[in-house]
């Protein structure tokens, strides 16, 4: 998830210095690797999670859309299933995340009752509040809908009166509702039609009754859009009450996501759990470069050993011709150390 990606980046930039904290992450990875079905399920469930941190920041700043609120709801809806999946795991770090996965039933219920499943991107033009959520809004919408049905009936009626089968009643934002008649049929236009606009192939007209209905429809739609926006703002303000819980959920999901990713990589690439202690020794047997071994043919990377400490092996002199692998070896040791310090298993046999 985007949240997990950011957290992993933070872990890499700020490796742990406490052997106890590092070991806690190792224990969590061991727990996940010992429960492969659980690991697979939780990763599948995490794919349904959106960027909750980003969604929450937009909601807090008052710049969110109805679509983003629904996305938040869909993520929150997945949380109980994730919580159930990891409930059998015993690692302290995982049980800690388990406690932070709150079941926000009231928030989910509010959004499900108020917003349509697939709202438009904009909150200015309506169409995102569910029918039945607000009686006054339903009434205004019915008025607008009845007006549009009147427009359809008016078009059929005018076609019959004029005998022009191609006559159309259309709408655009600039001119509102108008009657469109092709130039070939202009001789059939009644005298009470008021010319509105002349085009290359047709002319546009209005009538007093069409103008009156236009005012009624557009007035109702404008009221509906304004009321929808007011209702949405009330919903957004209500969501602000859930900020602490949503933040806790986001952080817990990101943590679980990183742990699950590290566990999967360890399983797929045959990584080993390091031993972390307070000594000065870096001892690596059968070490491999975690990136290069993935981009060359399998089996072509030669495993190698490293022993460095602060007493008899403080300095190693690495020699060889260009492209012999000197930098690869040096960087490999650094990468293995960083991976171990963030709580990841490492590409080595020990």
């Amino acid at each position: 998830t985007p949240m997990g990606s950011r957290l992993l980046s933070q872990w890499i930039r700020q490796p742990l210095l406490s052997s106890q904290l590092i070991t806690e992450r190792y224990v969590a990875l061991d727990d996940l690797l010992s429960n492969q079905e659980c690991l697979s399920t939780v990763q599948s469930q995490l794919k349904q999670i959106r960027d909750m941190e980003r969604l929450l920041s937009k909601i807090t700043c008052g710049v969110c859309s109805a679509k983003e609120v629904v996305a938040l709801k869909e993520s929150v809806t997945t949380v109980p299933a994730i919580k159930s999946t990891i409930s059998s795991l015993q690692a302290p770090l995982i049980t800690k995340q388990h406690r932070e996965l709150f079941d926000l039933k009231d928030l989910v219920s509010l959004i499900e009752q108020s917003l349509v499943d697939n709202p438009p991107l904009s909150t200015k033009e309506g169409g995102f509040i569910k029918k039945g959520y607000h009686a006054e809004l339903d009434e205004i919408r019915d008025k607008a809908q009845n007006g549009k049905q009147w427009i359809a009936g008016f078009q059929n009626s005018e076609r019959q009166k004029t005998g022009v089968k191609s006559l159309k009643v259309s709408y655009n934002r600039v001119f509102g509702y108008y009657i469109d008649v092709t130039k070939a049929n202009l001789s059939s236009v009644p005298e009470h039609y008021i010319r509105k606009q002349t085009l290359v192939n047709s002319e546009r007209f209005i009538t007093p009754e069409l103008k009156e209905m236009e005012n009624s429809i557009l007035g109702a739609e404008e009221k509906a859009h304004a009321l929808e926006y007011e209702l949405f703002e009330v919903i957004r303000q209500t969501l602000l009450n859930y900020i602490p819980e949503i933040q806790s959920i986001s952080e817990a999901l990101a943590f679980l996501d990183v742990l699950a990713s590290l566990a999967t990589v360890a399983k797929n690439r045959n990584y080993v759990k390091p031993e972390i202690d307070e000594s000065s020794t870096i001892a690596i047997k059968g070490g491999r470069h975690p990136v290069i071994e993935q981009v060359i043919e399998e089996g072509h990377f030669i495993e190698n050993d490293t022993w460095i400490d602060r007493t008899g092996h403080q300095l190693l002199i690495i020699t060889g011709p260009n492209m012999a692998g000197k930098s690869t070896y040096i960087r490999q040791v650094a990468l293995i150390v960083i991976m171990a310090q963030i709580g990841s298993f490492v590409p080595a046999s020990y």
Side-chain angles (χ1 to χ4, degrees):
T1 65
M3 300 178 295
S5 296
R6 287 194 293 270
L7 182 61
L8 177 58
S9 178
Q10 180 184 324
W11 283 17
I12 294 169
R13 290 196 310 271
Q14 300 173 333
L16 296 173
L17 299 179
S18 163
S19 58
Q20 180 184 344
L21 296 178
I22 295 170
T23 302
E24 284 180 358
R25 291 184 184 176
Y26 292 163
V27 171
L29 295 191
D30 263 337
D31 203 1
L32 285 167
L33 287 167
S34 300
N35 295 270
Q36 289 294 319
E37 186 176 347
C38 171
L39 174 59
S40 176
T41 302
V42 78
Q43 285 198 300
S44 177
Q45 291 166 332
L46 283 167
K47 289 178 181 176
Q48 302 171 48
I49 300 294
R50 304 285 290 275
D51 193 341
M52 293 175 64
E53 291 172 342
R54 181 173 176 273
L55 293 173
L56 186 60
S57 68
K58 297 192 79 172
I59 290 169
T60 306
C61 295
V63 294
C64 61
S65 67
K67 206 171 190 69
E68 287 163 332
V69 172
V70 170
L72 176 67
K73 183 261 296 183
E74 290 171 349
S75 296
V76 170
T77 304
T78 309
V79 169
I82 296 175
K83 186 168 186 173
S84 175
T85 299
I86 65 171
S87 60
S88 61
L89 301 177
Q90 302 298 318
L93 270 185
I94 296 178
T95 56
K96 180 182 177 183
Q97 311 316 315
H98 183 274
R99 291 193 296 270
E100 299 297 314
L101 295 177
F102 300 102
D103 189 352
L104 304 181
K105 292 179 181 176
D106 292 343
L107 179 146
V108 171
S109 177
L110 170 64
I111 298 173
E112 284 184 342
Q113 290 174 14
S114 59
L115 301 180
V116 298
D117 293 336
N118 187 25
L121 291 172
S122 172
T123 54
K124 300 293 186 181
E125 298 176 8
F128 51 87
I129 297 290
K130 266 187 181 175
K131 185 176 183 180
Y133 178 68
H134 194 272
E136 184 185 351
L137 177 61
D138 289 346
E139 188 178 324
I140 296 172
R141 280 175 169 172
D142 287 342
K143 186 176 180 182
Q145 186 60 35
N146 291 337
K148 289 181 178 179
Q149 290 173 356
W150 183 92
I151 293 288
F154 176 77
Q155 176 178 275
N156 292 333
S157 171
E158 293 303 301
R159 283 178 177 178
Q160 291 175 359
K161 287 178 183 177
T162 61
V164 179
K165 300 299 181 185
S166 61
L167 180 148
K168 289 188 301 183
V169 178
S170 303
Y171 169 82
N172 67 35
R173 290 175 180 269
V174 178
F175 294 105
Y177 285 96
Y178 56 85
I179 302 166
D180 189 89
V181 181
T182 58
K183 292 208 168 175
N185 294 295
L186 288 180
S187 59
S188 302
V189 171
E191 291 184 1
H192 68 277
Y193 275 24
I194 303 167
R195 183 174 277 101
K196 182 88 172 177
Q197 186 185 20
T198 300
L199 303 177
V200 175
N201 298 317
S202 66
E203 292 199 14
R204 293 172 175 178
F205 303 86
I206 59 169
T207 67
E209 58 180 337
L210 179 60
K211 191 65 181 174
E212 184 179 343
M213 184 53 67
E214 173 190 277
N215 293 336
S216 176
I217 294 171
L218 297 183
E221 288 184 339
E222 189 176 332
K223 284 181 183 177
H225 294 165
L227 182 53
E228 278 199 67
Y229 189 77
E230 287 178 20
L231 293 171
F232 179 69
E233 186 59 21
V234 172
I235 293 166
R236 189 188 70 81
Q237 289 292 333
T238 305
L239 295 182
L240 297 180
N241 298 328
Y242 295 92
I243 285 178
E245 290 88 349
I246 298 172
Q247 285 178 328
S248 295
I249 291 170
S250 301
E251 290 169 7
L253 290 175
F255 206 100
L256 287 170
D257 190 13
V258 176
L259 289 177
S261 298
L262 293 179
T264 300
V265 170
K267 175 175 71 77
N268 293 342
R269 300 184 180 177
N270 196 28
Y271 287 0
V272 68
K273 178 169 68 173
E275 294 178 14
I276 293 287
D277 58 28
E278 300 297 330
S279 75
S280 67
T281 302
I282 297 175
I284 301 169
K285 292 181 181 178
R288 314 186 306 273
H289 193 294
V291 179
I292 292 178
E293 74 166 349
Q294 295 302 311
V295 298
I296 64 174
E297 196 173 329
E298 188 174 354
H300 278 218
F301 190 91
I302 308 300
E303 298 179 355
N304 52 72
D305 301 340
T306 304
W307 180 282
I308 313 175
D309 60 31
R310 285 193 301 212
T311 54
H313 298 83
Q314 291 187 21
L315 179 67
L316 302 182
I317 299 176
I318 315 299
T319 64
N322 289 341
M323 303 300 291
K326 302 184 297 297
S327 295
T328 296
Y329 177 72
I330 294 168
R331 291 167 187 268
Q332 169 196 309
V333 173
L335 287 172
I336 289 176
V337 169
I338 291 171
M339 290 172 71
Q341 298 282 144
I342 70 171
S344 170
F345 291 3
V346 297
S349 58
Y350 170 82

